[in-house]
């Protein structure tokens, strides 16, 4: 969980098992001492600007139109959660970091509140889900 810098509203998610496995594989192949998952060759954490530029470079190399934006990944995931059967509007909004009426304290301390929405996104894009890995709530 984290607060969105733009709005200060909490954004919370749980990772899919496939994501955890991919991060572990990446960390084994490219070990570093940073607290951040993705870092530059100098060890500085990647920012959203780094990721967006890299996306554009790969998009252009693939010959895809410039109308395809990195933000579409986020928007598509939000839509998949929002439109999934059984997922409430509040759950999708908590995942996206939009105001939902839930208290900020509750959302950031309980990532399990968005577990079903995260599983719905995985089902939408991969057809199956092993389910998100829900951390224990802090005491």
């Amino acid at each position: 969980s984290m607060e969105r810098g733009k709005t200060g509203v909490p954004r919370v998610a749980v990772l899919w098992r496939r994501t955890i496995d991919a991060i572990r594989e990446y960390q084994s192949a490219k070990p570093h001492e940073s607290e951040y998952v993705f870092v530059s060759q100098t060890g500085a954490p990647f920012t959203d600007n780094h990721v967006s530029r890299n996306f554009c470079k790969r998009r252009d190399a693939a010959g895809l139109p410039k109308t395809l934006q990195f933000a579409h990944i986020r928007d598509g995931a939000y839509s998949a959660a929002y439109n999934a059967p059984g997922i409430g509007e509040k759950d999708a909004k908590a995942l996206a970091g939009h105001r939902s009426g839930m208290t900020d304290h509750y959302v950031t301390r309980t990532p399990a509140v968005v577990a079903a929405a995260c599983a719905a996104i995985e089902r939408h894009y991969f057809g199956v889900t092993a389910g998100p890995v829900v951390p224990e709530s802090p005491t």
Side-chain angles (χ1 to χ4, degrees), residues 20-138:
I20 293 169
D21 293 344
I23 289 171
R24 287 188 176 140
E25 184 177 326
Y26 168 78
Q27 288 177 324
S28 292
K30 305 222 184 249
H32 57 77
E33 298 300 317
S34 176
E35 66 180 310
Y36 297 95
V37 175
F38 302 107
V39 296
S40 70
Q41 292 177 346
T42 64
F46 280 151
T47 65
D48 56 345
N49 216 8
H50 287 102
V51 175
S52 182
R53 279 196 314 258
N54 192 317
F55 175 85
C56 290
K57 187 185 327 178
R58 293 173 189 276
R59 175 202 60 205
D60 295 345
L64 296 170
K66 293 195 183 307
T67 54
L68 180 63
Q69 300 293 314
F70 185 72
H72 294 156
I73 296 170
R74 175 198 62 224
D75 296 346
Y78 177 68
S79 294
Y82 192 92
N83 293 315
I87 304 301
E89 178 181 2
K90 284 186 177 185
D91 296 346
K93 285 184 171 187
L95 181 67
H98 297 168
R99 296 194 191 285
S100 67
M102 288 187 221
T103 65
D104 295 349
H105 180 73
Y106 174 75
V107 173
T108 57
R109 289 184 51 85
T110 314
V113 75
V114 296
C118 292
I121 295 167
E122 185 178 27
R123 270 192 309 281
H124 178 81
Y125 286 105
F126 297 100
V128 296
T129 181
V133 178
V134 181
E136 291 183 28
S137 296

